[in-house]
Amino acid sequence: MLDLLSRLAALPGATMALQAAGSLIAILILTRLAKGMNLGGEPRIRDEDHARALAEEAVCGFDVQAVVVDRAGYGALARDMAGHVLLIRRHGSHFAARQIVSHAGVRLDGRFLTLSTDDRHFGAATLDLGDQAQVWAASLRRLED
């Protein structure tokens, strides 16, 4: 085997070809490992239960009474008994939540609801809520200005 490798190494370009093949094999192994560990990809909110868990995780004691999830799973809105509303959205590879305190940053466009918070670093989020967009937009009008 060693003799074969030394003969291959003597061929022009063989060393580079072996290095390239070794690199390709290493990349494929790392890709398989990352997939097996569920790394990468786009995190999405799977369903209402997942959105409830994210809201309760974001604000300790937030008792979700109503929730709506974006059709693509990129964000959600959750309301508690006291009428507080949380906007949950993807932030990098995780989810973050901010309370909506005013309807000033809320804009309805058909089935899309765009919301902005007081936190300028959080940015605005546009959620595709389907038929629920109008219902939630109307309920957000009750928030203080």
Side-chain angles (χ1 to χ4, degrees):
M1 178 74 165
L2 193 55
D3 187 42
L4 177 64
L5 287 177
S6 58
R7 275 194 252 155
L8 280 175
L11 294 173
T15 304
M16 288 178 57
L18 285 173
Q19 287 177 343
S23 295
L24 180 62
I25 290 170
I27 289 169
L28 292 173
I29 290 171
L30 289 174
T31 302
R32 175 65 91 174
L33 183 65
K35 206 171 230 184
M37 294 174 61
N38 279 337
L39 299 176
E42 288 187 47
R44 303 219 181 178
I45 299 174
R46 295 181 299 275
D47 53 23
E48 288 185 5
D49 289 335
H50 186 205
R52 287 176 194 278
L54 290 169
E56 291 167 2
E57 181 181 306
V59 178
C60 185
F62 193 86
D63 186 24
V64 179
Q65 298 300 312
V67 66
V68 64
V69 178
D70 174 73
R71 292 170 67 151
Y74 292 130
L77 291 173
R79 180 181 294 111
D80 70 358
M81 260 318 230
H84 301 118
V85 177
L86 280 183
L87 167 61
I88 305 164
R89 63 171 258 186
R90 200 175 66 183
H91 189 72
S93 62
H94 301 286
F95 289 96
R98 296 293 187 273
Q99 185 173 350
I100 303 295
V101 295
S102 167
H103 72 275
V106 178
R107 192 177 78 238
L108 176 65
D109 183 18
R111 65 182 198 189
F112 296 97
L113 190 61
T114 301
L115 304 109
S116 58
T117 65
D118 292 339
D119 184 352
R120 64 183 178 91
H121 298 291
F122 192 71
T126 300
L127 305 177
D128 180 356
L129 303 179
D131 297 337
Q132 291 294 307
Q134 292 179 349
V135 174
W136 278 83
S139 72
L140 291 171
R141 285 190 204 109
R142 296 185 199 115
L143 295 175
E144 300 277 329
D145 251 343

